[in-house]
């Protein structure tokens, strides 16, 4: 266990564990207790390396921290080397040194440092379109971090990547978590369960704000689905009517429907000129979901 000794500064260290002044007699373990001068020298060099890093002199800082490691491989020294390598864009090496540090401590601030690096690496994967690798790194970062603000940012990044992968449900959940809308997550999960368990075909009603009459959104409302074979834009168009007024169309594009819904083309041959549908709810704020009924 790490120990404090008389003479150590009471307010040592910042959020990354770097002291404002060199350590005084800080001991790590039995082996290092036998070499207090070497440990003290390592911490003095660590403070010097940090000052150089703060001044943007990254290569000089790296040279000094390497000298510190010759005296002691204390996890705080390893952590600083990881930070410097990260500043230099040498992410894989930085990750290795965070892991080496965490092999000797479970300090949360080092876990947070590693988590932030993993998010930066996830952005690199995003730009190279390696989306699965990016998700793996973000999931690891979310398990590591204890910082609520960081968690929100990681969820926001994860949502962007999921959106690129076309995963609408997962994207929506991550955006809610990023915005701390935890109550809406419960509602979303309840609606998702209904979607998964409904046996009748589901459709999304698109264009519901463009025809002068609003489609009903209350659960249980009945609308008519009417085939429109002469539609100049889509020969499989199915008009949605409520009280004999056009209130939208059955979505026929992946951009206007969820994966679990059927397109107008898919249900076109399942009924005659017209059929009915029952409104379920508005899903993910954008999709009005209805189940087709006979």
């Amino acid at each position: 266990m790490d120990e404090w000794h008389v003479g150590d500064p009471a307010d040592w260290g910042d959020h990354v564990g770097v002291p404002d002044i060199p350590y005084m007699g800080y001991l790590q373990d039995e082996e290092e207790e036998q070499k207090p001068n070497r440990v003290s020298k390592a911490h003095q060099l660590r403070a010097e390396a940090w000052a150089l890093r703060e001044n943007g002199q990254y290569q000089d800082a790296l040279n000094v921290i390497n000298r510190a490691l010759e005296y002691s491989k204390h996890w705080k020294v390893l952590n600083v080397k990881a930070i410097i390598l990260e500043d230099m864009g040498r992410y894989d090496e930085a990750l290795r040194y965070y892991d080496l540090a965490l092999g000797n401590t479970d300090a949360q601030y080092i876990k947070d440092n590693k988590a932030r690096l993993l998010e930066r690496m996830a952005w690199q994967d995003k730009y190279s379109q390696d989306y699965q690798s990016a998700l793996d790194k973000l999931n690891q970062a979310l398990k590591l971090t204890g910082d609520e603000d960081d968690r929100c940012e990681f969820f926001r990044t994860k949502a962007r990547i999921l959106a690129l992968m076309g995963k609408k449900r997962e994207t929506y959940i991550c955006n809610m978590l990023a915005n701390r809308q935890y109550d809406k997550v419960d509602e979303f999960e309840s609606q998702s369960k209904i979607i998964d368990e409904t046996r009748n075909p589901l459709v999304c009603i698109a264009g519901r704000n463009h025809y002068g009459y609003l489609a009903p959104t209350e659960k249980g409302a009945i609308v008519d689905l009417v085939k429109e074979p002469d539609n100049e834009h889509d020969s499989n168009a199915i008009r949605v009517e409520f009280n004999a007024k056009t209130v939208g169309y059955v979505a026929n594009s992946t951009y206007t429907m969820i994966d679990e819904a059927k397109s107008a083309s898919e249900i076109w041959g399942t009924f005659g000129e017209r059929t009915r549908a029952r409104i379920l709810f508005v899903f993910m704020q954008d999709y009005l979901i209805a189940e087709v009924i006979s």
Side-chain angles (χ1 to χ4, degrees):
M1 294 291 293
D2 295 339
E3 298 178 357
W4 287 111
H5 299 274
V6 176
D8 285 348
D11 58 348
W12 69 278
D14 57 16
H15 68 287
V16 293
V18 179
D20 296 324
I21 61 175
Y23 281 80
M24 300 170 62
Y26 182 86
L27 305 179
Q28 182 195 8
D29 53 30
E30 183 176 349
E31 178 182 355
E32 291 191 339
E33 285 178 8
Q34 299 171 8
K35 311 177 209 176
N37 291 334
R38 292 179 64 83
V39 177
S40 178
K41 181 64 174 179
H43 290 312
Q44 290 174 9
L45 289 169
R46 181 170 67 93
E48 181 183 337
W50 186 258
L52 290 166
R53 179 257 178 193
E54 290 278 82
N55 198 40
Q57 298 172 260
Y58 301 127
Q59 186 57 58
D60 290 340
L62 185 61
N63 293 339
V64 172
I65 203 66
N66 284 337
R67 287 172 53 206
L69 286 168
E70 293 175 2
Y71 287 95
S72 170
K73 290 180 173 56
H74 190 283
W75 51 270
K76 290 180 181 291
V77 181
L78 293 166
N79 177 57
V80 170
K81 179 165 182 177
I83 293 171
I84 294 168
L85 288 168
E86 184 176 349
D87 290 334
M88 299 174 75
R90 294 162 62 173
Y91 294 165
D92 289 333
E93 294 174 80
L95 187 62
R96 184 165 67 89
Y97 276 91
Y98 282 134
D99 285 337
L100 286 171
L102 289 169
N104 294 291
T105 182
D106 62 353
Q108 185 58 52
Y109 69 79
I110 299 184
K111 293 179 182 178
D112 290 338
N113 290 346
K114 179 181 175 180
R116 295 181 191 113
L117 171 60
L118 286 167
E119 193 217 11
R120 296 179 76 172
M121 296 176 76
W123 274 106
Q124 284 190 330
D125 289 338
K126 170 185 174 291
Y127 292 132
S128 63
Q129 299 185 355
D130 190 350
Y131 300 137
Q132 188 56 56
S133 178
L135 285 181
D136 291 343
K137 289 182 175 67
L138 286 166
N139 288 334
Q140 187 180 355
L142 285 163
K143 290 179 181 179
L144 282 171
T145 189
D147 187 295
E148 187 65 19
D149 289 336
D150 280 347
R151 286 185 64 80
C152 291
E153 190 58 37
F154 298 163
F155 276 123
R156 195 165 288 114
T157 301
K158 186 175 177 179
R160 293 188 182 102
I161 293 168
L162 288 166
L164 291 170
M165 299 174 72
K167 296 181 178 294
K168 295 178 181 178
R169 283 205 205 186
E170 294 91 336
T171 299
Y172 188 72
I173 290 176
C174 284
N175 277 324
M176 286 189 294
L177 292 171
N179 293 317
R180 297 184 172 92
Q181 295 174 318
Y182 306 120
D183 56 330
K184 291 187 176 181
V185 174
D186 293 336
E187 178 187 7
F188 174 84
E189 290 178 345
S190 176
Q191 290 180 339
S192 293
K193 183 177 180 181
I194 292 172
I195 288 173
D196 293 337
E197 294 179 351
T198 299
R199 296 190 177 275
N200 290 328
L202 299 176
V203 295
C204 294
I205 299 175
R208 55 194 175 94
N209 297 318
H210 302 307
Y211 297 96
Y213 298 94
L214 295 178
T217 57
E218 63 271 16
K219 182 179 180 179
I222 302 299
V223 295
D224 293 306
L225 307 183
V226 184
K227 287 182 178 179
E228 207 175 82
D230 297 329
N231 187 293
E232 61 179 323
H233 302 293
D234 184 357
S235 60
N236 291 138
I238 299 176
R239 187 172 68 251
V240 181
E241 293 183 352
F242 182 66
N243 293 334
K245 306 292 185 183
T246 300
V247 294
Y249 281 80
V250 173
N252 208 20
S253 165
T254 55
Y255 296 106
T256 55
M257 57 188 286
I258 61 172
D259 292 341
E260 295 78 10
K262 299 292 186 181
S263 67
S265 298
E266 289 176 306
I267 68 168
W268 179 270
T270 64
F271 63 94
E273 181 183 346
R274 65 171 55 222
T275 190
R276 298 181 301 162
R278 180 186 294 112
I279 300 297
L280 294 181
F281 41 68
V282 176
F283 189 57
M284 297 194 295
Q285 297 183 321
D286 294 325
Y287 305 96
L288 180 56
I289 307 295
E291 62 172 327
V292 179
I293 57 177
S294 57

